[in-house]
């Protein structure tokens, strides 16, 4: 039997499949079930600072039934509501760590930079194996240039790295004007890993009621190519580990990402679309493929088709449909 184990952020995983941050990982029962179904690790549902703020506002409104609140009420809510949500999250980490053997990676998304450090410290104390920073800047503000975003990212990472010892991973989106520069900059900040990519919530328009609605939430296998391109280009240019995320729906997708240079793959949508047995199907497919190709361990082929190793670096950067592709579709 080929050895599917791999190392990610210095953690030993029995296989390279991580169940990504989502509703699939928001309770101990679900996490235990994911371990039983074969997951190599899990990333917990993110703790959203924004959610805490919204909850505070709603609670205040219900309590007082008016928009004006006394400053003391605000202070009280700051402590009680914020701590309630945070405490639940910390309890989830502690209970999950007691229940499962696979690594448990926490995830936070904050809007103010001082909260990143506060949450990070508490999460480390609760026993998380690593911390994923879910960082999402939609660059729609023309007053904020690429340099500002880089500086802000760097500041967040430095603050968090300065306060905790567990590995830190940055999960980013594709919305960056020069992705490679951004990623290299992140790598120099000392993070242990980077997740390429988060998938954003997509808006849509309800043409019957003329209102903004929610777009399709889940990815599809056709989203794989974009992740594959960037994993292959980034691999070999950074020291940190790479987690591929978005559009990995089957064993073939997993194998392709490993060949492109990913250390692990995070999956979410395929588990919602199919079911949790998809984890085992994917690891079985990987195992069989390794046997056929006579690979005994993942390190023997990981990154073999990354941009720097493929022998055809231009293929990863080709963007125009030129004559080579004319025959594919008329
Ligand atoms: C229902 C749902 C909830 C999600 N919640 C989070 C979250 O709390 N934090 C986060 O960083 N990513 C979240 N994501 C993004 C996923 O972790 C993942 O990056 C994205 O779905 C792409 O992977 P996929 O193509 O396998 O779905 C969520 C995705 C879905 C579909």
């Amino acid at each position: 039997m080929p050895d599917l184990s791999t190392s990610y952020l210095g953690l030993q995983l029995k296989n390279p499949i991580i169940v990504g941050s989502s509703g699939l990982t928001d309770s101990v029962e679900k996490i235990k079930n994911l371990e039983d179904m074969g997951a190599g690790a899990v990333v917990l549902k993110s703790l959203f600072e924004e959610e805490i703020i919204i909850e505070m506002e709603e609670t205040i409104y219900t309590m007082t039934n008016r928009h004006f609140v006394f400053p003391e009420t605000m202070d009280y809510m700051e402590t009680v509501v914020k701590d309630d949500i945070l405490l639940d999250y910390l309890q989830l980490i502690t209970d999950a760590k007691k229940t499962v053997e696979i690594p448990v990676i926490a995830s936070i998304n904050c809007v103010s930079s001082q909260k990143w450090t506060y949450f990070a410290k508490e999460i480390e104390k609760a026993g998380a194996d690593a911390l994923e920073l879910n960082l999402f800047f939609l660059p729609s503000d023309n007053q904020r240039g690429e340099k500002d975003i880089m500086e802000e990212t760097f500041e967040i990472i430095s603050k968090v790295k300065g306060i905790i010892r567990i590995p830190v991973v940055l999960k980013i989106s594709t919305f960056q004007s020069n992705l490679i520069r951004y990623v290299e900059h992140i790598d120099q900040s000392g993070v242990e890993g980077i997740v390429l990519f988060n998938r954003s919530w997509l808006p849509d328009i309800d043409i019957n009621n003329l209102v903004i609605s929610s777009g399709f939430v889940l990815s599809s296998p056709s989203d794989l190519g974009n992740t594959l391109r960037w994993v292959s280009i980034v691999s070999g240019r950074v020291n940190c580990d790479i987690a591929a995320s978005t559009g990995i729906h089957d064993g073939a997708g997993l194998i392709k990402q490993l060949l492109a240079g990913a250390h692990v793959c995070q999956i979410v949508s395929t588990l919602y679309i199919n079911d949790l047995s998809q984890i085992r199907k994917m690891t079985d497919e990987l195992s069989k493929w390794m046997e056929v190709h006579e690979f005994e361990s993942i390190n023997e082929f990981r990154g073999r088709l990354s941009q720097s190793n493929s022998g055809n670096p231009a293929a990863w950067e080709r963007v125009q449909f030129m004559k080579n592709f004319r025959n594919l579709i008329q």
Side-chain angles (χ1 to χ4, degrees):
M1 281 290 279
D3 177 10
L4 302 193
S5 69
T6 189
S7 154
Y8 176 58
L9 317 172
L11 305 165
Q12 269 314 113
L13 271 61
K14 63 185 176 196
N15 67 59
I17 295 189
I18 298 183
V19 177
S21 179
S22 61
L24 297 167
T25 58
D26 64 2
S27 77
V28 179
E29 296 69 37
K30 290 183 191 174
I31 295 166
K32 175 74 186 118
N33 202 15
L34 291 169
E35 178 179 55
D36 293 343
M37 297 305 278
V42 291
V43 183
L44 301 182
K45 173 94 188 123
S46 296
L47 177 66
F48 287 93
E49 187 195 345
E50 229 174 340
E51 219 157 54
I52 296 178
I53 295 168
I54 292 168
E55 179 123 349
M56 268 169 53
E57 286 167 357
E58 280 172 1
T59 315
I60 289 168
Y61 187 69
T62 319
M63 272 171 63
T64 60
N65 206 15
R66 57 189 170 186
H67 285 291
F68 175 78
V69 282
F70 295 104
E72 307 83 69
T73 324
M74 203 60 212
D75 283 349
Y76 170 78
M77 291 311 300
E78 266 274 342
T79 328
V80 175
V81 177
K82 187 180 79 190
D83 282 359
D84 263 7
I85 296 176
L86 179 63
L87 285 176
D88 284 350
Y89 198 73
L90 300 178
Q91 195 61 50
L92 174 63
I93 297 172
T94 313
D95 293 346
K97 281 302 297 170
K98 276 190 210 147
T99 313
V100 296
E101 284 175 11
I102 55 174
V104 174
I105 301 169
S107 165
I108 51 177
N109 174 280
C110 301
V111 283
S112 56
S113 72
Q114 68 273 28
K115 295 286 187 328
W116 289 91
T117 48
Y118 174 65
F119 289 161
K121 190 75 209 156
E122 294 305 308
I123 282 168
E124 179 180 51
K125 280 199 255 169
D129 291 296
L131 177 62
E132 194 171 281
L133 304 176
N134 165 6
L135 195 62
F136 214 122
F137 297 117
L138 188 72
S140 56
D141 179 356
N142 65 1
Q143 302 299 315
R144 222 158 136 242
E146 192 188 4
K147 198 161 166 273
D148 302 317
I149 294 181
M150 276 204 197
E151 278 170 7
E152 199 168 326
T153 308
F154 207 79
E155 190 191 327
I156 290 167
I157 298 171
S158 308
K159 278 191 180 165
V160 173
K161 292 275 317 157
I163 203 159
I164 60 174
R165 284 165 179 271
I166 54 173
V168 175
V169 190
L170 197 71
K171 184 178 192 183
I172 62 166
S173 73
T174 41
F175 300 118
Q176 306 297 336
S177 54
N178 188 332
L179 199 64
I180 288 301
R181 251 190 21 195
Y182 185 63
V183 167
E184 285 178 351
H185 200 67
I186 291 169
D187 186 44
Q188 284 154 17
S189 72
V191 286
E192 280 78 9
I194 185 159
V195 183
L196 306 173
F197 297 102
N198 204 342
R199 183 181 149 78
S200 64
W201 175 84
L202 296 169
D204 200 354
I205 288 180
D206 175 343
I207 57 170
N208 296 319
N209 297 306
L210 273 66
V211 290
I212 299 160
S213 60
S214 176
F216 197 59
V217 175
L218 304 174
S219 73
S220 83
S222 65
D223 293 312
L224 181 82
N226 189 47
T227 317
L228 202 55
R229 179 201 297 273
W230 289 109
V231 166
S232 86
I233 294 177
V234 168
S235 162
R237 300 208 200 188
V238 293
N239 293 313
C240 66
D241 291 348
I242 301 171
S245 160
T246 301
I248 306 154
H249 282 239
D250 51 25
L254 168 68
I255 295 164
K256 289 175 191 179
Q257 293 289 3
L258 296 171
L259 282 167
H263 292 77
V264 290
C265 289
Q266 294 193 1
I267 56 169
V268 172
S269 294
T270 190
L271 302 180
Y272 279 111
I273 295 168
N274 301 294
D275 58 48
L276 302 188
S277 65
Q278 189 69 2
I279 301 172
R280 194 81 68 193
K281 282 188 196 143
M282 288 170 73
T283 50
D284 284 351
E285 209 174 323
L286 172 62
S287 188
K288 280 194 196 113
W289 178 86
M290 283 171 69
E291 265 180 58
V292 170
H293 291 270
E294 298 180 0
F295 293 127
E296 285 174 10
S297 72
I298 288 177
N299 273 344
E300 285 174 33
F301 66 90
R302 199 183 66 74
R304 200 175 266 210
L305 292 178
S306 68
Q307 188 184 38
S308 50
N309 292 335
S310 64
N312 185 7
W316 289 113
E317 298 202 22
R318 185 170 294 137
V319 284
Q320 301 294 343
F321 292 96
M322 295 184 300
K323 65 175 179 204
N324 307 23
F325 300 104
R326 269 197 207 129
N327 297 337
L328 294 180
I329 193 161
Q330 296 289 339

